[in-house]
Amino acid sequence: MSAQLVGQLRAAMGEGRLAAGERLPSSRALAGLLGVSRTVVTEAYEQLYAEGWLEGRHGSGTYVTEGVAAAPMPKPQVVEREPVRRAAAPHEIDLRPGLAWIGALDTPAWRRAWRLAAGMPPQQRQDPHGLPGLREALADYIRRSRGVACPVDGLLVTRGATNGLDLLAATVLRPGDRVGVEEPGYGRARAVLNGRGAEIVPCPVDEHGLITDDLPDDLRIVYTTPSHQFPMGGVLPVPRRQALLAWARRNGALIAEDDYDGEFRYDVAPLPALYGLDPEVVVYLGTTAKILTADMGVGWLVGRPDLVAEVALRREELNDRTAVVPQDALRLLLERGDLDRYVRRMRAEYARRRDVVVQALGGLPLRGDTAGLHLVVDVPEPAASRAADEAARRGVLVETLTRHHAGPVRASGLVIGYGSAATLAELRKGCEIVRTLVG
C-alpha cells in the first residue's frame, strides 16, 4: 500500500497535479482521508523524501520540492493490478474471500514449533530448494492429503502459491509468451504473469470451472484453480481434467495448478490434485495461507525434477528465498502430526461456518458451497454492486464477481467468504443483512 501511494503521489507531482511548493497533508490527516494506517503514509513520505520529491520546512510541514515537475514524466506502462484490500475496521464484519480463520491457531503445538524453530542456528547459505527436512515432510503430507506422490527432488519450498507461480514464470516464460488465466479469476496471478512479460489470455469458466473445449493452442502456460475455482467456486470434473491434460500434451504447454482451498471439501473427501494425473505437464502450487495463516509465508512448488532444478537455479539468480524459521516451524508441525490434526479440526470448523452462512442466506441461489472457504450468491448486476455498497454502509464487507474480471463481465454475483475473523454470530448477522438486501 505504501508503494502504491508513492506511485500515485510521484505521478501527481510529475504531471503537475501537485504543484512545486504545494504543501501536503500531514501523515495523520492523509491516513485518515485514505482509511489506511499512519505507517503507510509515513513510509511513503520517507521514500519520496529520499528520492527528492518532497522537502520538509522546519515547523511548517511537508512540501513538493521546487522544480520537480520541470521535466515531463514518461507515461507509465499500464499494468493490471488487483484492487487494494482495505483492512476491516473493528466494528465491521469482514465476509470477503481469501482469508483463513485463525481463531483456533494459538495452540501449545503452534507455540512449541515456533519456539524450537527460533532456536535453530542461522545458515550462511540456503539451499534454493528449501530445507531438506521440510521437503521430505511436505512430500509425505501432500501424498497423504492430496493424493500427490512426488519425489523430494521434484519439490521446492516457496513463500506461497503466488511466489511459486512467479518463479515458474521467471523460469519458463519469454517476453510476449501467451498465458491463459481463468476469467473471472485470481487477480494476483494475472498481475504476477503480466509482470513477467506474458500476454494474458482470459480463459472462460462456468459453474464447473475452466472451460477446456476452446483453449488456444499457442498458450505456454494455463493457470487454473481446479479444486475450488476462484472466485466462482466450481470443482473441475474429471472429463475436463482429462481434456485439459490432453491439450497440454498436444501443445507442449504447462498447467500451473493452484490448489486453492483444496484441503476443504464438505460433501465428499477432497479430490486428488490434478498433478497426480500427469506430473509431466502439471506444476502443482500450494501454500499454508489457507490451512494455517498467510503470515507463515511458506508454500511449495511440485513438478518434474528437471523443471524444478531449473526453477531452483533461476531462484538463486533472483536471490529469492523462504525464511528459515517458518520452514523449520512447519517441519515440526508436520513431523509431529500437529498439522494433520489441525486441518481435520478446521475442516469441521469450516463446515460449521459454511452451514451458518447457507442458513442465514435463507434460500438464495448459491454455488461453490461444497468446498473451500467462500461461496457465490447469484445476483445480477447492477443489483449485486448496489447490495455490496449498501452492505458496506451497514458494516458488512463482501465482494462482487465483477471485481475478479479482467475483461467484459461474464458472471455477476456476490462472493461471500467465511474464513475470516468473524465469529459465528457475526457470520449469521452479516449474511442476514446481505439476504435482506438481495432477497
Side-chain angles (χ1 to χ4, degrees):
M1 294 177 71
S2 292
Q4 292 187 42
L5 181 56
V6 166
Q8 292 169 8
L9 288 173
R10 192 189 290 129
M13 291 182 285
E15 296 167 5
R17 288 182 282 119
L18 283 175
E22 186 171 345
R23 183 180 180 183
L24 272 67
S26 69
S27 59
R28 186 184 302 277
L30 186 55
L33 179 66
L34 298 178
V36 299
S37 73
R38 189 179 180 187
T39 301
V40 170
V41 179
T42 301
E43 290 178 353
Y45 278 7
E46 288 175 351
Q47 178 66 31
L48 294 170
Y49 273 117
E51 294 178 8
W53 290 97
L54 301 180
E55 61 182 8
R57 299 178 186 175
H58 183 69
S60 180
T62 301
Y63 293 81
V64 180
T65 302
E66 296 290 344
V68 295
M73 290 287 289
K75 186 176 181 180
Q77 181 182 4
V78 176
V79 177
E80 178 192 340
R81 299 190 185 276
E82 187 177 14
V84 174
R85 177 187 288 273
R86 178 173 65 83
H91 63 282
E92 291 177 317
I93 300 173
D94 194 347
L95 301 184
R96 294 172 295 180
L99 299 173
W101 189 64
I102 59 175
L105 193 56
D106 186 20
T107 66
W110 172 261
R111 294 192 296 272
R112 179 178 62 243
W114 281 95
R115 184 174 64 252
L116 294 174
M120 296 291 291
Q123 296 186 2
Q124 192 166 30
R125 183 177 294 276
Q126 184 184 144
D127 184 341
H129 291 84
L131 294 182
L134 175 58
R135 293 167 64 204
E136 292 176 3
L138 273 173
D140 189 49
Y141 171 75
I142 295 168
R143 175 188 58 78
R144 294 193 312 273
S145 66
R146 305 298 296 117
V148 171
C150 66
V152 174
D153 60 353
L155 188 150
L156 181 143
V157 180
T158 67
R159 290 182 283 109
T162 305
N163 175 235
L165 180 64
D166 183 50
L167 292 172
L168 176 65
T171 303
V172 305
L173 293 183
R174 296 165 300 191
D177 278 353
R178 286 162 55 84
V179 175
V181 179
E182 294 170 330
E183 174 67 10
Y186 192 38
R188 288 178 182 170
R190 286 194 296 263
V192 162
L193 294 165
N194 192 303
R196 290 298 177 185
E199 178 187 346
I200 306 300
V201 179
C203 298
V205 303
D206 60 16
E207 67 273 17
H208 301 296
L210 180 67
I211 299 173
T212 56
D213 293 342
D214 300 316
L215 289 174
D217 290 339
D218 60 347
L219 302 180
R220 182 70 184 91
I221 297 175
V222 167
Y223 169 85
T224 181
T225 52
S227 295
H228 191 234
Q229 199 276 333
F230 185 86
M232 297 283 284
V235 178
L236 197 65
V238 170
R240 289 199 194 180
R241 293 178 181 230
Q242 294 171 334
L244 178 59
L245 295 169
W247 169 88
R249 283 276 188 177
R250 186 172 63 250
N251 294 291
L254 289 173
I255 301 167
E257 176 188 13
D258 187 340
D259 195 25
Y260 192 90
D261 289 350
E263 292 85 357
F264 302 110
R265 187 167 177 127
Y266 312 115
D267 53 349
V268 295
L271 298 181
L274 180 65
Y275 172 90
L277 296 177
D278 195 338
E280 291 295 310
V281 298
V282 180
V283 177
Y284 174 78
L285 305 170
T287 178
T288 57
K290 299 299 184 297
I291 57 177
L292 287 169
T293 169
D295 285 346
M296 192 160 208
V298 179
W300 47 89
L301 178 152
V302 179
R304 301 191 318 263
D306 63 306
L307 177 58
V308 171
E310 292 179 27
V311 173
L313 288 173
R314 182 67 173 128
R315 185 184 207 189
E316 202 158 29
E317 294 173 352
L318 295 171
N319 196 29
D320 182 277
R321 64 189 65 190
T322 306
V324 171
V325 172
Q327 285 192 68
D328 209 53
L330 180 58
R331 176 188 64 82
L332 292 164
L333 290 169
L334 286 164
E335 290 179 349
R336 295 165 182 244
D338 297 320
L339 182 63
D340 293 78
R341 286 187 287 273
Y342 181 77
V343 170
R344 286 195 297 269
R345 189 163 70 251
M346 292 312 299
R347 190 175 290 124
E349 175 62 30
Y350 286 134
R352 282 193 293 271
R353 296 169 74 83
R354 188 277 311 262
D355 290 346
V356 166
V357 168
V358 172
Q359 292 168 9
L361 290 173
L364 293 176
L366 308 177
R367 51 183 157 178
D369 60 328
T370 60
L373 307 184
H374 74 273
L375 53 79
V376 173
V377 183
D378 282 323
V379 184
E381 285 292 350
S385 293
R386 287 199 299 264
D389 291 342
E390 179 58 29
R393 281 191 285 272
R394 300 189 189 187
V396 180
L397 305 181
V398 298
E399 288 182 357
T400 64
L401 279 177
T402 58
R403 178 180 185 271
H404 301 285
H405 283 80
V409 174
R410 296 177 53 89
S412 61
L414 296 174
V415 188
I416 308 291
Y418 46 88
S420 68
T423 65
L424 289 176
E426 289 171 334
L427 282 175
R428 183 177 293 104
K429 177 182 176 182
C431 289
E432 287 173 349
I433 289 174
V434 170
R435 184 187 62 192
T436 63
L437 295 174
V438 301

